[in-house]
PDB file of all heavy atoms in Angstrom:
ATOM      1  N   VAL A 158     -13.380 -26.465  16.037  1.00 99.00           N
ATOM      2  CA  VAL A 158     -13.917 -26.188  14.696  1.00 99.00           C
ATOM      3  C   VAL A 158     -13.735 -24.693  14.460  1.00 99.00           C
ATOM      4  O   VAL A 158     -14.348 -23.867  15.136  1.00 99.00           O
ATOM      5  CB  VAL A 158     -15.408 -26.545  14.580  1.00 99.00           C
ATOM      6  CG1 VAL A 158     -15.884 -26.401  13.123  1.00 99.00           C
ATOM      7  CG2 VAL A 158     -15.661 -27.977  15.061  1.00 99.00           C
ATOM      8  N   LEU A 159     -12.804 -24.367  13.573  1.00 99.00           N
ATOM      9  CA  LEU A 159     -12.415 -22.969  13.432  1.00 99.00           C
ATOM     10  C   LEU A 159     -12.637 -22.430  12.019  1.00 99.00           C
ATOM     11  O   LEU A 159     -12.628 -23.212  11.031  1.00 99.00           O
ATOM     12  CB  LEU A 159     -10.948 -22.781  13.830  1.00 99.00           C
ATOM     13  CG  LEU A 159      -9.844 -23.417  12.993  1.00 99.00           C
ATOM     14  CD1 LEU A 159      -9.380 -22.518  11.861  1.00 99.00           C
ATOM     15  CD2 LEU A 159      -8.637 -23.752  13.881  1.00 99.00           C
ATOM     16  N   MET A 160     -12.833 -21.135  11.943  1.00 99.00           N
ATOM     17  CA  MET A 160     -12.829 -20.443  10.651  1.00 99.00           C
ATOM     18  C   MET A 160     -11.449 -19.806  10.526  1.00 99.00           C
ATOM     19  O   MET A 160     -11.052 -18.991  11.365  1.00 99.00           O
ATOM     20  CB  MET A 160     -13.902 -19.353  10.565  1.00 99.00           C
ATOM     21  CG  MET A 160     -14.085 -18.827   9.130  1.00 99.00           C
ATOM     22  SD  MET A 160     -12.835 -17.576   8.713  1.00 99.00           S
ATOM     23  CE  MET A 160     -12.370 -18.104   7.032  1.00 99.00           C
ATOM     24  N   GLY A 161     -10.733 -20.194   9.463  1.00 98.00           N
ATOM     25  CA  GLY A 161      -9.427 -19.570   9.251  1.00 98.00           C
ATOM     26  C   GLY A 161      -8.682 -20.276   8.151  1.00 98.00           C
ATOM     27  O   GLY A 161      -8.993 -21.418   7.800  1.00 98.00           O
ATOM     28  N   GLY A 162      -7.687 -19.572   7.607  1.00 98.00           N
ATOM     29  CA  GLY A 162      -6.823 -20.194   6.619  1.00 98.00           C
ATOM     30  C   GLY A 162      -7.406 -20.230   5.220  1.00 98.00           C
ATOM     31  O   GLY A 162      -8.522 -19.791   4.975  1.00 98.00           O
ATOM     32  N   ALA A 163      -6.586 -20.771   4.328  1.00 98.00           N
ATOM     33  CA  ALA A 163      -6.988 -20.879   2.915  1.00 98.00           C
ATOM     34  C   ALA A 163      -5.935 -21.718   2.215  1.00 98.00           C
ATOM     35  O   ALA A 163      -4.773 -21.741   2.629  1.00 98.00           O
ATOM     36  CB  ALA A 163      -7.083 -19.495   2.272  1.00 98.00           C
ATOM     37  N   TYR A 164      -6.335 -22.402   1.131  1.00 97.00           N
ATOM     38  CA  TYR A 164      -5.344 -23.057   0.292  1.00 97.00           C
ATOM     39  C   TYR A 164      -5.575 -22.636  -1.153  1.00 97.00           C
ATOM     40  O   TYR A 164      -4.894 -21.773  -1.666  1.00 97.00           O
ATOM     41  CB  TYR A 164      -5.385 -24.584   0.436  1.00 97.00           C
ATOM     42  CG  TYR A 164      -4.359 -25.262  -0.447  1.00 97.00           C
ATOM     43  CD1 TYR A 164      -2.992 -25.007  -0.258  1.00 97.00           C
ATOM     44  CD2 TYR A 164      -4.726 -26.104  -1.492  1.00 97.00           C
ATOM     45  CE1 TYR A 164      -2.034 -25.584  -1.078  1.00 97.00           C
ATOM     46  CE2 TYR A 164      -3.770 -26.691  -2.320  1.00 97.00           C
ATOM     47  CZ  TYR A 164      -2.426 -26.419  -2.111  1.00 97.00           C
ATOM     48  OH  TYR A 164      -1.475 -26.987  -2.940  1.00 97.00           O
ATOM     49  N   PHE A 165      -6.601 -23.170  -1.794  1.00 97.00           N
ATOM     50  CA  PHE A 165      -6.870 -22.808  -3.190  1.00 97.00           C
ATOM     51  C   PHE A 165      -7.292 -21.339  -3.306  1.00 97.00           C
ATOM     52  O   PHE A 165      -7.016 -20.684  -4.309  1.00 97.00           O
ATOM     53  CB  PHE A 165      -7.973 -23.709  -3.765  1.00 97.00           C
ATOM     54  CG  PHE A 165      -7.559 -25.149  -3.912  1.00 97.00           C
ATOM     55  CD1 PHE A 165      -7.969 -26.113  -3.003  1.00 97.00           C
ATOM     56  CD2 PHE A 165      -6.717 -25.536  -4.948  1.00 97.00           C
ATOM     57  CE1 PHE A 165      -7.577 -27.436  -3.126  1.00 97.00           C
ATOM     58  CE2 PHE A 165      -6.317 -26.860  -5.093  1.00 97.00           C
ATOM     59  CZ  PHE A 165      -6.742 -27.818  -4.183  1.00 97.00           C
ATOM     60  N   GLU A 166      -7.920 -20.800  -2.299  1.00 95.00           N
ATOM     61  CA  GLU A 166      -8.405 -19.416  -2.348  1.00 95.00           C
ATOM     62  C   GLU A 166      -7.318 -18.398  -2.022  1.00 95.00           C
ATOM     63  O   GLU A 166      -7.571 -17.202  -2.112  1.00 95.00           O
ATOM     64  CB  GLU A 166      -9.566 -19.230  -1.365  1.00 95.00           C
ATOM     65  CG  GLU A 166     -10.924 -19.640  -1.910  1.00 95.00           C
ATOM     66  CD  GLU A 166     -11.362 -18.824  -3.128  1.00 95.00           C
ATOM     67  OE1 GLU A 166     -11.494 -17.597  -3.002  1.00 95.00           O
ATOM     68  OE2 GLU A 166     -11.532 -19.436  -4.193  1.00 95.00           O
ATOM     69  N   VAL A 167      -6.166 -18.857  -1.611  1.00 93.00           N
ATOM     70  CA  VAL A 167      -5.052 -18.013  -1.115  1.00 93.00           C
ATOM     71  C   VAL A 167      -5.561 -16.971  -0.107  1.00 93.00           C
ATOM     72  O   VAL A 167      -6.611 -17.148   0.493  1.00 93.00           O
ATOM     73  CB  VAL A 167      -4.242 -17.367  -2.271  1.00 93.00           C
ATOM     74  CG1 VAL A 167      -3.547 -18.450  -3.079  1.00 93.00           C
ATOM     75  CG2 VAL A 167      -5.098 -16.487  -3.159  1.00 93.00           C
TER      76      VAL A 167
END
Side-chain angles (χ1 to χ4, degrees):
V158 187
L159 66 89
M160 191 278 136
Y164 180 62
F165 293 102
E166 276 298 300
V167 295

